[in-house]
């Protein structure tokens, strides 16, 4: 078996309760896996869930990421920078590192109400001295520049010297991961050049600067320790490390509590990074650990008030639903219009931290319905990279704006494989679709005026150039494109891509009409800025009228592309007996000539346009494509659950939903340990729940709700935000749904 | 203008005479260019034409390559290793480096009769002391492990101390060049780990070992200096360098001649590399410079006896024709069945030294007609990498053998761009075509028995799997392929690829029949080895019968692929006003949606199968495709010249032929300085000359000759080899050609 095929994880270790994820046992087998599952973030920064005192040997796997902080690893290509590790700690009892002692009663708990992770266990040394250890870490939602770690040491049956070494470690490294899903990554890249560190006993500071662009991060910490411990505290500054060594005598039956408060600032925060970090640290010192936690918890409370989805179902499902929402929110830079959410959030460096269509098509709906301001900022990231998208179009010898398949702190293409980077062009239309949904649902007409219409025009311009007019047949073809089903190869007139492009053109035409009528002055300046000439838009309409897609009337079936039906059929069962992607067993190249889908394409479009596609067409597409779909992308299960629910295929919907909602919590793809949390799947699960089971759809006319609850969910209760008001939806199995207006915002 | 667009080279500096290429003037502008043009090789090794005393600062441009000597630069990817520089020398007169003196009467001469390059000039120091300098270098054709350099110093008007520092320099580095024709290369790679050097006055030795695979090269040198110079000779061993410092008094009016004799051996030569190098050096010492040159010249004489093409035309054209032949022969490892000819021969590291279809389709015919043993060895390289080709097929989840688009010392894919490496699959059929031509022309039926039939079967097997059967339409499609016209994108049923694949299948079927009948025992063992079952070949025939190509009866036109005619027309003239590839101005991606060809596709097939394609179809294809062809590959001109000549389009043929034959000598692509000599174009020029102008075609029935001489060539005279006999062809304008049997070999 291919070495990447399986991650051996004993999933029984995980206990999913309504508000907590609990791991019992400290087996090394689950260590990597738990590091992914217990990842923490506050949108500004994120850390993988490694224990502060259980440092990994591999410095590329001890990751701390800051939202939007990238650096070049070769010309034009960036990686998300692995930041100094502010957790780095060791505890010694009677001179022995507790990591070398035997461990009992190990428990690790993620509390989704307050965002804390607790590690709790007992260590025994060779003389049978028992010591209870508790460590609590959180990244503050109250002040996103701050984090805190509490160390508790409780000598059960002995008096001993206790030493805590803790600091900030700049000895971290990047492991940029190639686009190619099959290539091994062996080339570490050191991002950090100059690192200055200083420590004065209880306090330490580290400033690191990237080699290429001189981008700076400053981290500071402060140790809070009760005077009565009579601790001796020494500064401990080594190469690229700043820390404190804290020594005191531990007495049997006493609980010793030491807090480490941390502040973080980086070049994206403005000038004088050092001052910013120091100010935040002073705030930490003022509040202390408990005060900081109170503030952070308050914010989590507000978030859950809008975002929680309560279900009457198993405890496990309730916990999993919250986990999906929780992890997505942890990675969202909700107040930052210059960053987006990576395909593994802030929890893993996979895909070099880049942003994909995953954000707009899979993750955005959750924010749009629970925190429209955060949704707006995600879309503003695209507006703020519009110039780069225009330059990108130019590099492809085209006009207008072409968004990149993978982007980072700039909008320039980060994808290095030709077929994907050059041909998976639907992302441009995906972004426009998401903007359209945002405006429709929020009624934020100013966003249309100030940002969207400009994006619409430039992207429409791109599509006009990207379609090829066939004079003989008087039609438009989209040549050399790759649809969401990445196993279709590069083909022409891919259904999803063509239809999304036409929607893009339609929104552009509509917005011009609206701008002319509603905002004539702004329109005039935009027309001038974009140098739009009257005749240009005629061609857009012509493309809408004459673009080629393939529909088989007899079967009521939309055909994905003209090659698809000529591909070789394959007995999926003969190759695939689990959820592990088939590209580990069959080459990508070979898969492209089988009649199989990696993930939905026609059905994907139908998921986005439920009002446009009649039920018979949706059912025909389901019956045709679903059996041919391998779900080798984590984006697939949730969308299939959604469509199945809409079609009333409750059993299928429930089956797919479970695969999506437990994707990481049950390690269904066998890559959660190695690759981190799949953020798009989190969003797809939420959509399956709300748009599928609850049957919610929202357009400018209002909220509609046609539930399709599976038997296993007796009721659902959640809030959504529609045009500056909050509504509560209560859906009970077999009953008429309730939509209650709560209040305006 | 793009920085790569133009190389500013004053071409007036070059004088092309029937047997010599002469460069006058030593302007720095032409230095890089002359380094390419004056490249030297003997098939075992090659050096760029830099002067032994004019060392470049950039150690990656001082290149010495050994045929078949590659090393890994990252997992699976190799680069041709830049070897220690055995030329490295400096001359001081009265303590001043002559490179710092002013230069007069500069002349550089490549003599194609004996393979020598001469540098001749006069240096003047600040006190107006004039010294004539002559340096002659050759790589011996008599003993390919050896080379020699002669230094001549002639103080015209002074008595002075003269110092020659000369040695072998291991301080060289590789600059692996990315596949992407537009990317800059900035990452040097050091290939050499341990380098041992030793020197004992007149003699020195260096042994270098590559870092990754411990591949060894040993080079030795010996200084031949007349005793009467009373020179003091000191050993000069520095880091990675071994050399001698030779000091003597130079008297006015005396000519001082010092010879450096060099031997080279490497890990590919067997065990005890040091002994091998030493033995060769002893032979050098025995012969001396003059004796070595005599031996080398003898071999060149024999080569020219078979390879020369004499024309009654301009002196310049005669010289250019010889230059094309000469350079191709210099890069051919004629007696080595484990190496082939790189796309830039042994003269430049472009394309990492890799072997392409260029060898079999463009270069091989020259060898097949002038040195069948060399042709046989080129094809044996493919047999010797058959196992790798089978493993490659497996990596693509296919059976049989799949040759790689780019290969090096193994048959594994060296091309790193998806569309080319995965989709430009015609190379497998190209190799088989060349083998078929070899057997047909030589009658070497043992080659068929021992090697070819096995290749035929394994490649046919590959094609069987690579075609996709469409059950509904009962036909076979070749999906996701890229033809020779690399501007067509990845498409289906590319004409050239389909037709070549069918030829491959046909040869396989024919060879099985022949083997069964003629060599039943060998057939039995081959059948067992290949595990061929009877039914397998039925499918091959079925594909031959039902593969899809597109023919328009009305226009008598073969269509390149089903998308081509729907592409957007483009006014080529508006973009392209010279020979510089358009991909510097328009993106590759954009070019793929224009109705333009990079190089011939349908016409390419027609060039290879003149008997199969009726004249009307060839003319229709010419009229349709030629105006749409950008000739952005150097492979294009020669093939167009060939086809035009066959069609009797003399003016067009002459125009294209001139572009091909002078491609490097007139720097028509503006990249000869930067990229070296285009070996495939050399071969294409030869084919245009012999298959086009002379109208030669050879099949198992005999030699046919229907000349189409342009007015500018009054006559041609050359030899060809057919079934173990040598024939002389004499073709005179307006006269019936003569084909004279000369002798059997």
């Amino acid at each position: 078996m291919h070495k990447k095929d399986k991650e051996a994880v004993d999933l029984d270790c995980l206990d999913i309760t309504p508000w907590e994820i609990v791991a019992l046992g400290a087996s090394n087998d689950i260590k990597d896996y738990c590091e992914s599952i217990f990842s923490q973030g506050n949108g500004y920064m994120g850390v993988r869930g490694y224990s502060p005192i259980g440092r990994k040997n591999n410095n590329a796997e001890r990751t701390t990421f800051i939202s939007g902080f990238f650096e070049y690893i070769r010309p034009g290509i960036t990686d998300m920078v692995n930041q100094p590790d502010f957790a780095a700690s060791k505890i010694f009892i009677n001179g022995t590192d507790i990591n070398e002692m035997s461990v009992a009663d190990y428990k690790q708990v993620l509390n989704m109400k307050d965002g804390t992770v607790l590690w709790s266990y007992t260590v025994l040394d060779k003389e049978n001295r028992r010591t209870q250890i508790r460590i609590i870490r959180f990244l503050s939602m109250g002040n996103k520049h701050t984090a805190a770690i509490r160390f508790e040491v409780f000598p059960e049956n002995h008096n001993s010297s206790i030493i805590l070494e803790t600091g900030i470690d700049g000895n971290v490294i990047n492991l940029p991961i190639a686009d190619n899903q099959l290539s091994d990554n062996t080339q570490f890249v050191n991002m950090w050049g100059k690192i200055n560190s200083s420590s004065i006993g209880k306090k330490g500071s580290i400033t690191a600067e990237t080699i290429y662009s001189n981008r700076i991060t400053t981290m500071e910490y402060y140790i809070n320790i009760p005077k009565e411990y009579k601790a001796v505290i020494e500064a401990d500054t080594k190469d690229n490390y700043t820390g404190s060594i804290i020594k005191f005598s531990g007495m049997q039956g006493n609980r010793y509590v030491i807090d480490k408060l941390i502040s973080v600032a980086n070049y994206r925060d403005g000038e004088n990074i050092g001052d910013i970090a120091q100010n935040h640290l002073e705030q930490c010192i003022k509040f202390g650990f408990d005060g900081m936690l109170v503030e952070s918890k308050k914010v989590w409370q507000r978030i859950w008030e809008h975002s929680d989805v309560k279900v009457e179902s198993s405890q496990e499902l309730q916990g999993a639903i919250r986990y999906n929402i929780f992890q997505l929110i942890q990675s969202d830079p909700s107040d930052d219009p210059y960053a987006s959410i990576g395909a593994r959030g802030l929890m893993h460096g996979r895909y070099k931290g880049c942003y994909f269509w995953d954000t707009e098509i899979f993750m955005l709906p959750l924010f749009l319905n629970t925190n429209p301001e955060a949704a707006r900022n995600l879309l503003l990231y695209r507006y703020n990279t519009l110039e780069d998208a225009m330059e990108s179009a130019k590099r492809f010898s085209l006009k207008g704006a072409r968004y990149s398949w993978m982007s980072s702190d700039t909008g320039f293409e980060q994808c290095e494989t030709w077929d994907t980077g050059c041909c998976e062009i639907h992302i441009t239309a995906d972004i426009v679709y998401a903007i359209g949904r945002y405006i429709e649902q929020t009624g934020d007409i100013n966003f249309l005026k100030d940002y969207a219409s400009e994006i619409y025009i430039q992207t429409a311009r791109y599509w006009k150039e990207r379609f090829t007019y066939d004079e003989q047949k008087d039609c438009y073809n989209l040549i050399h494109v790759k649809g969401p089903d990445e196993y279709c190869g590069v083909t022409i007139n891919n259904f999803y891509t063509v239809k999304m492009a036409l929607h893009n053109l339609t929104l552009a035409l509509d917005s011009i009409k609206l701008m002319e009528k509603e905002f004539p002055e702004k329109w005039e300046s935009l027309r001038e800025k974009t140098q739009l000439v009257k005749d240009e838009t005629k061609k857009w309409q012509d493309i809408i009228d004459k673009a080629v897609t393939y529909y088989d009337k007899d079967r009521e079936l939309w055909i994905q592309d003209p090659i698809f039906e000529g591909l070789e059929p394959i007995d999926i069962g003969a190759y695939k007996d689990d959820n592990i992607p088939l590209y580990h067993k069959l080459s990508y190249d070979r898969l492209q000539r089988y009649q199989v889908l990696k993930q939905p394409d026609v059905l994907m479009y139908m998921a986005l346009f439920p009002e446009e596609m009649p039920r018979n067409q949706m059912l025909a597409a389901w019956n045709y494509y679903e059996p041919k779909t391998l779900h080798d992308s984590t984006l697939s299960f949730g969308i299939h659950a959604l469509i199945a629910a809409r079609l009333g295929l409750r059993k299928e919907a429930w089956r797919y939903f479970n695969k999506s909602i437990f994707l990481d919590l049950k390690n269904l793809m066998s890559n959660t340990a190695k690759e981190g949390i799949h953020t798009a799947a989190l969003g797809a699960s939420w959509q399956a729940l709300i748009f599928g089971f609850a049957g919610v759809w929202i357009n400018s006319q209002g909220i509609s709700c046609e539930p399709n609850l599976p038997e296993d969910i007796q009721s659902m209760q959640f809030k959504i935000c529609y045009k500056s008001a909050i509504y509560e939806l209560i859906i009970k199995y077999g009953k008429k749904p309730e939509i209650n207006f709560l209040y305006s915002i």
Side-chain angles (χ1 to χ4, degrees), chain A residues 251-294:
Chain A
M251 307 299 285
Q252 180 171 346
N254 280 6
R255 182 170 303 276
Y256 297 92
V257 180
I258 303 166
D259 295 333
K260 179 183 184 184
L261 315 178
I262 298 130
S263 73
V264 178
N266 78 92
Y267 82 102
R268 301 179 75 250
D269 298 322
E271 302 287 312
N272 302 321
I273 310 307
D275 293 351
I276 297 174
Q278 210 177 319
N279 291 341
H280 287 299
L281 189 69
E282 276 162 23
Q283 215 199 352
C284 291
I285 297 168
K286 201 178 103 193
F287 277 95
F289 183 95
D290 294 315
M292 284 170 71
L293 184 53
V294 166

Side-chain angles (χ1 to χ4, degrees), chain A residues 536-554:
Chain A
E536 235 183 305
T537 59
K538 274 189 199 157
K539 193 84 178 225
W540 302 356
Q541 186 59 53
D542 204 38
I543 294 171
I544 294 170
D545 296 339
K546 297 174 186 167
V548 178
T549 49
Y550 308 90
Y551 183 66
D552 179 342
K553 270 190 187 167
D554 294 339

Side-chain angles (χ1 to χ4, degrees), chain A residues 608-718:
Chain A
L608 301 181
F609 291 91
E611 296 162 303
E612 183 187 326
M613 290 285 160
R615 190 178 188 282
N616 56 338
Q617 290 181 16
M618 214 187 289
L619 192 60
W622 175 274
N623 288 332
Y624 184 76
Y625 293 110
E626 188 270 344
K628 297 178 173 60
T629 303
L630 289 166
H631 313 291
D632 283 356
S633 161
T634 58
L635 317 182
S636 193
F637 296 131
I639 300 304
H640 276 86
L642 188 170
I643 297 273
R646 279 195 193 142
L647 287 169
L649 305 170
R650 293 182 189 214
K651 226 176 98 184
E652 288 303 85
W654 179 243
R655 190 169 66 81
Y656 278 119
F657 177 68
N658 275 278
K659 289 197 176 198
S660 190
I661 199 87
F662 289 109
L663 189 91
D664 289 313
L665 284 172
K666 298 199 171 170
N667 199 21
L668 294 182
M669 284 292 211
S670 264
N671 64 6
T672 296
K674 201 183 163 101
E675 298 197 4
I677 302 294
H678 301 77
T679 49
L682 306 173
S685 301
W686 185 92
Q687 292 190 54
L689 201 57
I690 305 301
F691 300 155
F693 292 153
V696 168
W697 194 249
I698 296 163
N699 61 23
S700 55
Q701 264 71 55
I703 305 169
S704 67
C705 183
E706 295 172 41
N708 307 281
L709 285 193
E711 281 178 25
D712 297 80
I713 298 180
Q714 280 300 303
S715 78
M716 287 176 64
Q717 189 173 348
F718 55 93

Side-chain angles (χ1 to χ4, degrees), chain A residues 84-86 166-170 195-208 216-223 235-244 260-265 273-279 281:
Chain A
D85 171 22
F86 60 69
T166 190
I168 303 173
D169 189 1
I195 297 187
N196 291 323
S197 55
S198 67
S199 171
I200 45 160
K202 283 173 139 186
K203 235 175 170 174
S205 164
I206 200 163
T207 295
I216 290 175
T217 293
T218 293
M219 292 187 180
E220 305 203 345
Y221 73 89
Y222 175 81
I223 302 296
D236 179 25
T237 300
K238 290 176 271 201
D239 274 358
N240 306 331
Y241 173 88
T242 181
S244 303
K260 179 183 184 184
L261 315 178
I262 298 130
S263 73
V264 178
I273 310 307
D275 293 351
I276 297 174
Q278 210 177 319
N279 291 341
L281 189 69

Side-chain angles (χ1 to χ4, degrees), chain A residues 137-157:
Chain A
R137 174 171 66 196
F138 67 94
L139 276 59
S140 172
M141 271 288 183
N143 175 350
K144 295 188 174 187
H145 291 269
T146 65
I149 303 170
R150 168 162 288 177
F151 301 92
E152 294 183 19
V153 184
F154 179 76
E156 264 187 41
N157 59 355

Side-chain angles (χ1 to χ4, degrees), chain A residues 93 156 191 306 405 418 568 619 631 648 740:
Chain A
I93 293 171
E156 264 187 41
M191 293 291 202
H306 289 98
W405 181 244
W418 177 83
E568 191 179 336
L619 192 60
H631 313 291
N740 304 319

